Structure formats: structure tokens, C-alpha cells
Amino acid sequence: KMRKPIADLMISNTRRHATPRAKRCHVMFSGRFDKDERIEYMQEVEDELSNKYKINTFMVKAAPGQSFAKQTLEGLQGMVVMVAFCSSQYGEKTGVGYETFEELKYAHENQIPIIPVRLCHVYPPQPQKEAKGKECPCCYTPRPERDDWGCGQNDLVLNKSLVYIDGMTAEGKYIPSKDLARKIHASLSKNDFIREVSTSFEGDACHMCTSCTIS
């Protein structure tokens, strides 16, 4: 079955009737920070959206001495839309608390629209727990176990009715960051979110978080 083109992207749980607790003003990037290559890729996409398309973006970047949890909460509470960078381990329930499992859960429960970006071969992602299961009879290495919580939530939220942006080439590599930024912007525009997240509308600027404040 053919997927719908990006122009007809259906964003999950459109929250037109939801009552936000605070002024929402940015596009939050949700992704696993377990590989430098992916982190760099997400930062490149963010830079393109911010500089070329003038979009308020939010990506957790906790430096030494800063609170990862505080930044995550700031991002969640101020997001209009969440872009989910769906790598193979996206949505894993690690128990840390501030993780992609909780970010996806928050967006779903608070009716925040989600734009998924496929960055893995199996979609929705089927995260695996750390290899602590039964040993392989051939090599005696522990087998990874299926993360039932993460897989279940991914299947529910990132379901077939929610069209994703394909972030991979036929060879299994990431598409150019500029191309992905353009597709995300097209989705935001198609679904009428530009005014809510664009820095071009100074009168609508958010005053809740530092990254979105326009002086």
C-alpha cells in the first residue's frame, strides 16, 4: 500500500481543542543521544530550520553542570509540535525518566502533534533491552530482550495512520540534513503551524524559555 506524500502528512492527535498549561512556541526534537553521528545530524537539521526557515526549535543540549531533566521539561512544556527522530532504539523504556519513552508518552497524552522521521529499517522502532537475556547457544553471548513497554507504545502512537518522513536513502544512510529540514518545514506549513513556531512573528514570541525568547 502506497504511503501518502509529504504534502498530505497526517500529524497525530491534533490538539486544536487542547488547553495548554503555558504558551507553546517551539518545535522540540526528540531522539536518542546514544550516537555522535545522530546527534550531529539532528543539530544540522536544527540549524537549517532555525537559520534558513526561521523556526523556533528546541533540542536538549545539557553541558557539564547543567540539568538534563530541567531542559527536557522546558522542551516538553513549550512545544507546539514534536519531531521524533525514530532510530532503532527510539522509545526504549530505560527507567532513567527523562528519555524518548517519556517524551513520546507526554506528547501523546497531551495531544501534541508528532512528526516522525524514520531513521531505522524496522518501523515503528522495536527497541531492545540491554543484552542480559538467555545466552546464544552458538557464541554464548547474552541475547537482547524485546522492550515490551517501548515497542507497545511505539506501535500505538507511531501507528500506520501517522505518515512518517523517510529520513533514509535506499542504501540505508541519512538523507542530507537540508532535505530533511525542508520536509519538516513543509509539514509544519501544510498543517498550519508556521505562525506558532516561526521567529518571523515577533508578536507571538514565547517568553517562557530562553531559547524561544525574541528580544
Side-chain angles (χ1 to χ4, degrees):
K1 184 178 178 180
M2 295 292 290
R3 287 188 176 274
K4 296 180 181 179
I6 187 64
D8 296 325
L9 179 63
M10 294 174 60
I11 295 184
S12 74
N13 300 322
T14 303
R15 84 288 169 259
R16 295 301 184 188
H17 301 294
T19 302
R21 295 181 178 179
K23 171 72 175 177
R24 296 188 180 277
C25 59
H26 58 234
V27 176
M28 180 175 177
F29 281 15
S30 171
R32 292 295 301 268
F33 297 154
D34 53 353
K35 290 186 177 181
D36 291 340
E37 178 188 9
R38 188 182 312 119
I39 296 173
E40 183 178 348
Y41 182 64
M42 291 172 63
Q43 290 175 338
E44 290 175 355
V45 176
E46 182 190 32
D47 289 343
E48 185 74 5
L49 280 173
S50 299
N51 298 327
K52 181 175 181 179
Y53 297 104
K54 307 304 179 185
I55 298 297
N56 276 324
T57 58
F58 189 100
M59 180 175 167
V60 174
K61 300 172 184 175
Q66 294 182 319
S67 172
F68 184 88
K70 181 179 179 181
Q71 286 192 26
T72 301
L73 287 174
E74 190 175 292
L76 293 174
Q77 293 173 356
M79 66 181 174
V80 174
V81 180
M82 188 175 82
V83 176
F85 287 79
C86 298
S87 57
S88 60
Q89 288 296 98
Y90 184 85
E92 179 188 5
K93 186 175 177 61
T94 65
V96 174
Y98 297 95
E99 55 192 3
T100 53
F101 177 88
E102 297 296 341
E103 292 169 1
L104 188 63
K105 179 182 178 183
Y106 180 95
H108 180 65
E109 292 182 345
N110 288 274
Q111 298 182 304
I112 300 297
I114 301 167
I115 302 177
V117 177
R118 185 181 76 90
L119 296 178
C120 55
H121 295 290
V122 178
Y123 186 89
Q126 301 294 297
Q128 305 293 306
K129 295 180 180 179
E130 186 178 349
K132 294 180 180 179
K134 297 180 180 179
E135 291 185 349
C136 173
C138 300
C139 61
Y140 301 102
T141 57
R143 290 174 172 174
E145 297 180 354
R146 184 177 186 271
D147 178 9
D148 292 333
W149 282 96
C151 293
Q153 179 169 259
N154 285 350
D155 289 342
L156 172 67
V157 181
L158 305 173
N159 55 68
K160 292 181 179 179
S161 66
L162 178 61
V163 182
Y164 60 73
I165 295 176
D166 199 342
M168 299 183 70
T169 66
E171 294 75 29
K173 298 183 179 297
Y174 295 162
I175 64 173
S177 55
K178 291 183 178 181
D179 291 347
L180 180 53
R182 175 176 52 79
K183 291 183 177 183
I184 293 173
H185 181 266
S187 175
L188 294 171
S189 179
K190 177 67 177 179
N191 291 279
D192 298 325
F193 292 118
I194 293 297
R195 187 175 187 86
E196 296 178 78
V197 298
S198 175
T199 59
S200 298
F201 299 98
E202 296 189 9
D204 297 331
C206 169
H207 300 287
M208 185 182 71
C209 53
T210 304
S211 63
C212 294
T213 301
I214 302 175
S215 56

